[in-house]
């Protein structure tokens, strides 16, 4: 975590024109929850993309992906006109490690490596620690796919938003809900792209579009290293759950909300070998950018139209010049 925090400071220091940091809450153990805001400065509020990683402590590939994503967009916005256009039209809010307490605990030793939850103590007579932060959001809280046993890995907390980490995200989303177009939350493992909702009897109003966008992302992913990702609601391709951040984001009106479950399909599970970090990040980057490109172009049609018109003009000129040759 110290390395990731130092890296965040470095990104801000080396890219002052497009990167700033924001503290938007504190963990149970009083660590600052910090995001990187990335994009060109604007005098008026911009539409935005949210990405968080590391809500579950043991899913170490997730924070690695957030760092890879930041590295890639910062390394390309000066030379890639599409990314440059995104930086003008959008802000990216990226939290590399949301569950900092749990993440640090998972690094302590071999006995804690598979820790999942937050680190808040149990209430009442419970002597166990931690709440599953992705069961603690105010989205059909406590209905399905949870446990009321505070020692369980899927304990949803004494109440909705009992955990300061979930409350911090909720407050930030509430304050920016009119700006946010897309919510991406990164997990492992399973090679899945999940759309709302986690409750089997509730469907997102734009379910068909979410599936279309998710399937296009999976197509972009498989083209990189041949890894297949399934797309669907959590009950359809994984299991039913409630109280997730993805579902909360969609419930408050953020139209495009997805969970990525990165590699693998269970062979190594959470203990993903080091030599898979880079390829996992490379393929997931293409998947995420597929979604972000779609969201951007749908909301900034003029950008897409301009590119299309320019391409058409170029093709016409080439056709005329080649016709003249013959």
């Amino acid at each position: 975590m110290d390395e990731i925090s130092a890296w965040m400071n470095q990104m801000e220091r080396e890219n002052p024109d497009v990167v700033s940091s924001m503290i938007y809450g504190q963990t149970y153990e009083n660590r600052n929850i910090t995001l990187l805001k990335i994009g060109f400065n604007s005098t008026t509020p911009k539409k935005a993309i949210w990405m968080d990683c590391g809500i579950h402590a043991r899913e170490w590939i997730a924070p690695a992906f957030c760092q890879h994503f930041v590295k890639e967009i910062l390394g390309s916005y000066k030379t890639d006109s599409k990314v440059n256009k995104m930086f003008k039209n959008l802000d990216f809010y990226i939290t590399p490690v949301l569950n900092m307490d749990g993440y640090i605990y998972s690094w302590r030793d071999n006995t804690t490596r598979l820790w999942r939850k937050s680190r808040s103590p149990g209430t009442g007579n419970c002597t166990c620690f931690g709440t599953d932060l992705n069961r603690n959001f105010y989205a059909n809280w406590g209905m399905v796919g949870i446990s009321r046993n505070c020692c369980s890995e899927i304990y949803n907390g004494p109440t909705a938003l009992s955990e300061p980490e979930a409350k911090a995200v909720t407050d930030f989303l509430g304050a920016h809900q009119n700006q946010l177009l897309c919510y991406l939350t990164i997990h492992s493992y399973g090679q899945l792209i999940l759309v709302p909702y986690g409750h089997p009897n509730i469907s997102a109003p734009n379910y068909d579009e979410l599936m279309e966008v998710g399937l296009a992302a999976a197509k972009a992913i498989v083209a990189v290293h041949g890894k297949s990702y399934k797309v669907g609601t959590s009950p359809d391709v994984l299991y039913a759950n409630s109280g997730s951040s993805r579902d909360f984001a969609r419930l408050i009106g953020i139209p495009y909300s997805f969970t990525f479950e990165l590699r693998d399909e269970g062979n190594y599970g959470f203990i993903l070998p080091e030599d898979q970090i880079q390829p996992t990040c490379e393929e997931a980057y293409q998947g995420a950018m597929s979604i972000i490109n779609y969201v951007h172009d749908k909301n900034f049609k003029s950008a897409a139209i301009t590119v299309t018109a320019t391409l058409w003009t170029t093709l016409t000129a080439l056709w005329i010049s080649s016709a003249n040759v013959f």
Side-chain angles (χ1 to χ4, degrees), residues 34-53:
T34 307
L35 61 76
L36 293 177
K37 179 184 177 184
I38 301 176
F40 290 127
N41 290 327
S42 172
T43 53
T44 55
K46 292 160 67 182
K47 296 297 184 183
I49 307 291
W50 170 280
M51 181 184 291
D52 68 73
C53 295

Side-chain angles (χ1 to χ4, degrees), residues 207-218:
Y207 167 81
D208 289 344
E209 186 185 17
L210 287 168
M211 284 297 294
E212 183 184 329
V213 174
L215 287 165

Side-chain angles (χ1 to χ4, degrees), residues 90-259:
L90 299 168
D91 284 326
F92 292 83
Y93 294 117
I94 301 175
T95 304
V97 186
L98 178 55
N99 180 9
M100 294 169 69
D101 295 350
Y103 186 70
I104 289 167
Y105 186 68
S106 75
W107 275 84
R108 195 182 75 174
D109 58 42
N110 288 338
T111 68
T112 63
R113 172 63 183 88
L114 293 178
W115 185 259
R116 169 184 170 94
K117 300 187 288 180
S118 68
R119 290 296 297 159
S120 58
T123 55
N125 296 325
C126 180
T127 56
C128 294
F129 281 76
T131 287
D132 182 347
L133 295 177
N134 208 39
R135 302 288 186 282
N136 194 237
F137 285 80
Y138 196 65
N140 306 311
W141 182 81
M143 291 180 73
V144 291
I146 58 93
S147 174
R148 298 303 300 144
N149 172 5
C150 80
C151 295
S152 167
E153 289 197 327
I154 54 170
Y155 174 55
N156 64 335
T159 60
L161 301 181
S162 59
E163 306 309 294
E165 298 88 351
K167 181 74 164 57
V169 173
T170 296
D171 290 347
F172 186 92
L173 296 186
H176 298 82
Q177 69 186 86
N178 294 327
Q179 291 170 251
L180 285 160
L181 297 173
C182 181
Y183 187 94
L184 301 173
T185 180
I186 314 300
H187 292 242
S188 75
Y189 58 94
Q191 293 174 205
L192 307 169
I193 298 173
L194 304 176
V195 305
Y197 286 108
H199 194 291
N201 299 332
I202 305 172
S203 218
N206 61 335
Y207 167 81
D208 289 344
E209 186 185 17
L210 287 168
M211 284 297 294
E212 183 184 329
V213 174
L215 287 165
K219 190 175 179 182
I221 287 172
V222 76
V224 181
H225 295 297
K227 294 295 181 184
S228 297
Y229 276 54
K230 289 181 187 169
V231 182
T233 64
S234 194
D236 283 347
V237 298
L238 188 58
Y239 46 62
N241 69 335
S242 54
S244 72
S245 63
R246 175 203 62 238
D247 285 2
F248 176 74
R250 187 63 198 86
L251 277 173
I252 65 166
I254 299 171
Y256 302 99
S257 183
F258 298 89
T259 301

Side-chain angles (χ1 to χ4, degrees), residues 254-325:
I254 299 171
Y256 302 99
S257 183
F258 298 89
T259 301
F260 275 49
E261 296 281 357
L262 304 181
R263 291 193 196 184
D264 57 8
E265 293 182 297
N267 190 23
Y268 293 102
F270 302 113
I271 317 293
L272 197 66
E274 188 176 346
D275 63 7
Q276 290 199 41
I277 296 172
Q278 185 75 18
T280 301
C281 290
E282 288 169 354
E283 68 200 16
Y285 178 78
Q286 294 302 326
M289 287 305 282
S290 171
I291 293 171
I292 294 164
N293 274 316
Y294 176 88
V295 172
H296 174 272
D297 290 352
K298 182 167 181 180
N299 284 272
F300 301 96
K301 289 190 176 75
S302 60
I305 291 165
T306 302
V307 171
T308 305
T310 304
L311 181 61
W312 178 247
T313 304
T314 305
L315 287 171
T316 304
L318 284 169
W319 179 77
I320 290 169
S321 62
S322 62
N324 288 339
V325 169

